[in-house]
Amino acid sequence: METLKARKMKKQPSPKNSKDVNKPQRLQSIDALRGFDMLLISGGGTFLVLLENNTGLAWIDWIAGQLKHPAWNGFTFYDFIFPLFLFIAGVSMAFSLNKGIEMGLSKAELYKKAFWRMLILVILGILDKNQPVTFFEPSQIRVASVLGRIGVAGFFASLLYLNFSRLHRIFWVAGILLLYYAALFLIPVPGYGAGNLSMEGNLVGWIDRNFLPGRLLQKIYDENGLITQLPALCLTVMGSMAGDVLRSDRKEGKKLQILLIAGIAGIGIGLFWGLHFPINKHLWSSSFIMLTAGMAFLILSLFYYVIDVLKFQSWAFFFQVIGMNSLTIYLAYHFIDFEHTSHVLFAGLYAPLPEQFHDALEALGALILVWSMMYFLYRKKIFIKI
């Protein structure tokens, strides 16, 4: 992991230099969308959840309900948050890998960089999900994690990106999702048989219980376990395709058209597939992957259109500050007790209000503090990347 000091802005390239003119520029929409997503992953919406049933406002209760995962089958907006980040990682990967190629890096060097990034994220994920780490009780260490999933998906998506055309990557995605679908319906689970998609009898949980070392988050399975990594990485692969569209020399309208068509198609396939293979985040079902990929194409097209095409950018600054330091805010929320600091600093301000609002206001204060920390790093041009 390295700390990068952002360099001073260079003069704009001369239009006479065609190479500079055609070189893809950094898209603010990607940083903003990443920041919006990472804020929710890190717990930035907690104060809204804590307001549920306390305000008498139906729309707040509805939003709070959308920021919780269903117990098993079903879908809420909160189910979309992590898949969206995997998708955005693929979008960014298309830019970073091509930048590496333009700098003269070999495939071997790019493989090595992706591998070390994966390894570091896996280690950070273990540290994050085990506080404190039970070094002398390895059976109590949770190996699966959000960061680990991002690292593994990024590594294998990089291998596919560097070695296969866009069409062949579509075939890879289709093949993985179809094989995963077939495996869950055709491979019998001891004691339950084949095609059992219940919480207790599905193939995913059986594999986690028997082959994933350490502690499982849900006891009988882990939502970021072993074979669910296969469908999950498809989101990053599809994100890389969206990244190719954005970095291409097509006109803006054509880029939007492709993203919109891909989004509508993905949602349609996901909903239709869900009639037989239920939409389920715990299983990372193939229908769930296609639904969230379609949604990701659409929300990316919206952010791109508003921020980079129409140039309505001031509103997105709040999210860009987070998006440019996404790993930092994720780890900061998990290792720094912002809620305690919020209580110390702000409890006197909200003390006169009804007690049912105190926890929500404390969480809001924590959000203000963590964003202030991100803003400080942004002003100092300190961006922590892997």
Side-chain angles (χ1 to χ4, degrees):
M1 184 169 58
E2 57 182 343
T3 301
L4 303 179
K5 290 275 188 178
R7 298 178 180 177
K8 293 182 178 180
M9 294 293 292
K10 295 182 179 180
K11 294 181 179 180
Q12 292 295 322
S14 170
K16 296 180 181 180
N17 190 334
S18 60
K19 290 184 179 180
D20 288 337
V21 170
N22 293 328
K23 185 177 179 180
Q25 301 299 311
R26 186 181 187 94
L27 297 176
Q28 294 186 39
S29 56
I30 298 177
D31 288 327
L33 183 55
R34 186 190 301 110
F36 165 77
D37 194 56
M38 183 52 75
L39 180 66
L40 292 175
I41 289 178
S42 301
T46 302
F47 76 96
L48 288 173
V49 175
L50 293 172
L51 284 176
E52 187 176 15
N53 299 323
N54 286 322
T55 64
L57 299 175
W59 65 272
I60 289 183
D61 293 343
W62 183 84
I63 292 175
Q66 288 297 309
L67 294 177
K68 300 176 183 177
H69 295 301
W72 191 241
N73 292 332
F75 186 80
T76 65
F77 184 77
Y78 205 49
D79 289 341
F80 174 55
I81 298 305
F82 187 22
L84 176 59
F85 193 87
L86 290 170
F87 184 91
I88 298 169
V91 176
S92 300
M93 186 181 72
F95 286 86
S96 61
L97 288 179
N98 279 284
K99 180 180 178 181
I101 292 171
E102 292 167 3
M103 293 171 59
L105 297 179
S106 66
K107 282 188 178 181
E109 291 173 309
L110 293 173
Y111 296 156
K112 183 178 180 181
K113 184 177 180 180
F115 176 80
W116 280 109
R117 181 178 183 272
M118 174 183 68
L119 188 60
I120 292 171
L121 285 173
V122 168
I123 293 172
L124 287 175
I126 291 174
L127 293 175
D128 171 46
K129 297 303 179 184
N130 301 273
Q131 301 176 26
V133 180
T134 56
F135 292 104
F136 300 106
E137 294 182 79
S139 64
Q140 298 304 310
I141 295 176
R142 185 186 174 204
V143 177
S145 69
V146 168
L147 293 179
R149 171 140 298 183
I150 294 170
V152 172
F155 174 70
F156 285 101
S158 296
L159 296 183
L160 293 177
Y161 188 88
L162 292 170
N163 290 285
F164 295 94
S165 68
R166 191 177 311 156
L167 179 61
H168 287 156
R169 279 180 278 144
I170 292 175
F171 291 152
W172 269 100
V173 168
I176 290 172
L177 295 181
L178 286 170
L179 285 173
Y180 185 71
Y181 173 48
L184 266 62
F185 275 89
L186 300 178
I187 297 177
V189 175
Y192 294 93
N196 189 318
L197 300 183
S198 68
M199 188 179 296
E200 300 81 10
N202 67 83
L203 180 65
V204 170
W206 184 84
I207 289 176
D208 285 346
R209 291 192 297 273
N210 287 275
F211 299 102
L212 182 60
R215 174 173 57 89
L216 304 180
L217 178 62
Q218 285 87 4
K219 309 298 182 184
I220 58 175
Y221 72 97
D222 194 300
E223 63 186 29
N224 291 321
L226 288 175
I227 66 169
T228 54
Q229 184 65 61
L230 291 171
L233 76 87
C234 292
L235 288 160
T236 304
V237 176
M238 287 188 274
S240 71
M241 298 175 192
D244 280 343
V245 172
L246 291 178
R247 67 178 303 276
S248 70
D249 57 2
R250 296 182 179 92
K251 292 183 178 180
E252 292 170 340
K254 185 63 175 178
K255 293 178 183 180
L256 286 167
Q257 182 183 15
I258 295 172
L259 294 176
L260 289 171
I261 291 173
I264 294 170
I267 291 174
I269 293 171
L271 293 176
F272 182 76
W273 207 340
L275 297 176
H276 187 252
F277 193 7
I279 295 170
N280 185 308
K281 180 186 184 295
H282 302 270
L283 294 175
W284 290 76
S285 62
S286 301
S287 56
F288 170 77
I289 298 298
M290 290 307 303
L291 172 63
T292 53
M295 292 173 63
F297 274 107
L298 291 185
I299 196 170
L300 175 64
S301 66
L302 175 63
F303 271 63
Y304 173 67
Y305 178 64
V306 172
I307 296 174
D308 290 311
V309 178
L310 297 181
K311 304 298 183 183
F312 294 156
Q313 298 173 342
S314 58
W315 68 273
F317 178 74
F318 176 86
F319 298 116
Q320 289 169 350
V321 168
I322 297 170
M324 297 181 73
N325 253 321
S326 57
L327 178 63
T328 306
I329 189 174
Y330 182 82
L331 293 176
Y333 250 119
H334 287 72
F335 287 96
I336 301 175
D337 193 346
F338 288 102
E339 290 190 357
H340 173 72
T341 306
S342 172
H343 178 79
V344 171
L345 293 177
F346 306 130
L349 294 176
Y350 57 73
L353 297 175
E355 189 173 350
Q356 72 255 32
F357 296 116
H358 289 189
D359 288 344
L361 291 171
E362 184 175 289
L364 179 60
L367 174 60
I368 293 171
L369 290 173
V370 75
W371 189 87
S372 299
M373 174 182 168
M374 296 300 103
Y375 180 68
F376 173 81
L377 295 176
Y378 175 85
R379 289 297 302 268
K380 295 297 182 181
K381 301 190 184 301
I382 299 173
F383 307 110
I384 300 176
K385 301 179 183 295
I386 297 178

